Amino acid sequence: AFERHSCVLRIHAVCSFNRLFCFSASRRSVMPAWVIDKYGKNEVLRFTKNAALPIIHYPNEVIVKVHAAGLNPIDISMRGGYGAATMAMKRDPLNMNQSGSEFPLILGRDVSGEIMECGLDVNYFKPGDQVWAAIPPWKQGSLAEFVVLSANEVSHKPKSLRHVEAASIPYVAATAWSVIVNTGGLNKDNGSKKRVLILGGSGGVGTLAIQMVKAWGAHVTVTCSQNAERLVRDLGADDVVDYTAGPVEKQLQTLQKFDLILDNIGGETEKWALDLLKPWNGAKYVTLVTPFLHNTDRLGLADGMMQSGVTIGCKVLKHLRKGVHYRWGFFAPSGPTLDEISEMVDAGKVRPVVEEVFSFAQVPQVFQKVEQGHARGKTVVSVIEDQKE
């Protein structure tokens, strides 16, 4: 029995080795990509045809051929080095690599494309599947021909969307879901008639969040500039407050109080927004603008996390005395979340909001556009011209 068992193990090992060897040998080792070799402004972006082609290191990974990529404000921040210390710790927990080992770094957090290769433990996907994903910031991004991801970060893309449309959704959807469902406690079972306020509703996260909570029966109030009002109303906003028409807080104080506030703006809004919540009713304020990465970059992981813990602890207690809940919200990569969003898209409850599509050659212009702010939805890069689209 022992001999038979060891024989099976040897055969399995040989098959695994041959599969990996054949996979590597049958493909070239480089690919086109946009990379950065140091942190800085737009001039650090460099196009190369010789970026290292990703390979499968773990049996739960897949390689995706990128058809379209989406850019987010975090890509602009990461280009400048934001979160660099924290991401380095995530990539290299034992600190075995030299400083700067993340370079050449590929940015881009959204991908829509096609599975090319699956690790040995991947059963849910097969080569040829049309998929989408939100790529964690510590991994190489989607501004390249191929990207490698864990299978649990990937989802079958909505059948009703083309790749350039699908690439506008994953990162903001995963963020909105994490903030609204996981942190805010709102979902399709309890969302009916809840009053939700979205501060800064015309960007990527805002336009997705409006549609999500509206599909669950919530009443949605949005702040944005006057020229974005039509967009957010088309997406389902019930009340729209124009921040250019006078102090936002005074306009909002005339409305009924809220069950959930999602803050995409940060800064001064924290000083008055929590007074708009229903007290002693389980109401929550969740902000996406947190000092967490800034603290860990500045102070190191341990001291930065301690500083963040003290900060949020003080704020939670301060507002708890008033009967409202203060929370920080974060992006969380999740294939199952995207499965839920995919169903909502194909059911017509959520639609992509694509402001502009650029070609792969125009990536520096894409960064300039996203950096300017005042987004109306998402900016997308078409990496390959898909004939089927």
Side-chain angles (χ1 to χ4, degrees), residues 22-334:
C22 294
F23 167 53
S24 303
S26 65
R27 294 157 67 241
R28 63 190 195 281
S29 59
V30 295
M31 65 177 178
W34 284 91
V35 301
I36 63 171
D37 302 301
K38 61 181 180 180
Y39 297 116
K41 297 198 179 297
N42 228 28
E43 62 271 11
V44 298
L45 287 165
R46 172 175 69 89
F47 177 74
T48 177
K49 292 183 177 178
N50 297 309
L53 199 141
I55 59 172
I56 289 174
H57 288 287
Y58 300 99
N60 68 330
E61 288 182 331
V62 297
I63 290 178
V64 176
K65 183 176 177 65
V66 180
H67 286 227
L71 233 64
N72 297 273
I74 189 164
D75 291 302
I76 310 302
S77 303
M78 286 181 66
R79 185 198 64 195
Y82 174 72
T86 313
M87 297 310 156
M89 181 67 73
K90 185 75 179 172
R91 294 183 193 106
D92 182 24
L94 300 179
N95 198 26
M96 295 174 71
N97 295 329
Q98 290 182 324
S99 175
S101 61
E102 69 267 36
F103 299 121
L105 182 65
I106 301 171
L107 299 170
R109 307 271 62 89
D110 289 299
V111 61
S112 183
E114 179 182 349
I115 298 273
M116 298 302 288
E117 181 76 13
C118 298
L120 294 171
D121 287 354
V122 177
N123 300 314
Y124 191 56
F125 301 101
K126 64 184 186 302
D129 283 0
Q130 305 295 298
V131 296
W132 62 348
I135 304 169
W138 54 88
K139 293 190 175 183
Q140 290 285 40
S142 56
L143 293 174
E145 188 179 8
F146 297 98
V147 64
V148 65
L149 290 161
S150 298
N152 59 7
E153 294 159 354
V154 179
S155 163
H156 290 103
K157 87 167 179 65
K159 293 181 174 63
S160 57
L161 297 187
R162 299 179 300 133
H163 285 292
V164 287
E165 296 170 321
S168 70
I169 292 177
Y171 188 83
V172 294
T175 303
W177 190 280
S178 171
V179 169
I180 292 167
V181 180
N182 302 347
T183 308
L186 198 75
N187 57 55
K188 61 185 174 187
D189 298 320
N190 67 11
S192 181
K193 296 187 170 59
K194 290 279 170 61
R195 288 183 54 79
V196 178
L197 169 62
I198 300 172
L199 297 168
S202 65
V205 174
T207 52
L208 202 289
I210 292 168
Q211 298 179 80
M212 259 175 58
V213 297
K214 195 65 193 169
W216 297 338
H219 180 284
V220 186
T221 302
V222 173
T223 69
C224 63
S225 64
Q226 185 183 6
N227 61 13
E229 179 173 350
R230 183 173 176 182
L231 168 65
V232 297
R233 284 203 186 276
D234 285 348
L235 295 174
D238 298 287
D239 293 325
V240 180
V241 174
D242 174 10
Y243 66 74
T244 63
V248 174
E249 63 269 36
K250 287 195 168 58
Q251 297 180 66
L252 289 168
Q253 283 160 3
T254 65
L255 303 174
Q256 290 180 46
K257 291 194 182 290
F258 299 94
D259 298 289
L260 176 65
I261 297 176
L262 167 55
D263 187 358
N264 295 294
I265 306 295
E268 294 292 308
T269 56
E270 250 184 47
K271 294 179 180 175
W272 48 261
L274 284 107
D275 295 331
L276 303 172
L277 289 168
K278 296 176 182 176
W280 307 108
N281 208 36
K284 292 189 180 79
Y285 163 92
V286 186
T287 179
L288 277 167
V289 185
T290 79
F292 181 79
L293 284 180
H294 176 71
N295 285 343
T296 50
D297 280 350
R298 191 168 50 93
L299 301 170
L301 197 65
D303 289 348
M305 288 180 76
M306 187 178 292
Q307 175 68 58
S308 296
V310 169
T311 301
I312 191 167
C314 292
K315 290 184 177 183
V316 166
L317 289 172
K318 172 188 168 186
H319 294 295
L320 209 50
R321 291 202 294 267
K322 301 177 187 174
V324 295
H325 299 272
Y326 175 96
R327 296 285 186 272
W328 286 354
F330 297 98
F331 160 78
S334 168

Side-chain angles (χ1 to χ4, degrees), residues 132 169 173 177 208 212 337-345:
W132 62 348
I169 292 177
W177 190 280
L208 202 289
M212 259 175 58
T337 291
L338 292 180
D339 288 342
E340 298 258 10
I341 297 291
S342 187
E343 284 183 24
M344 294 177 80
V345 170

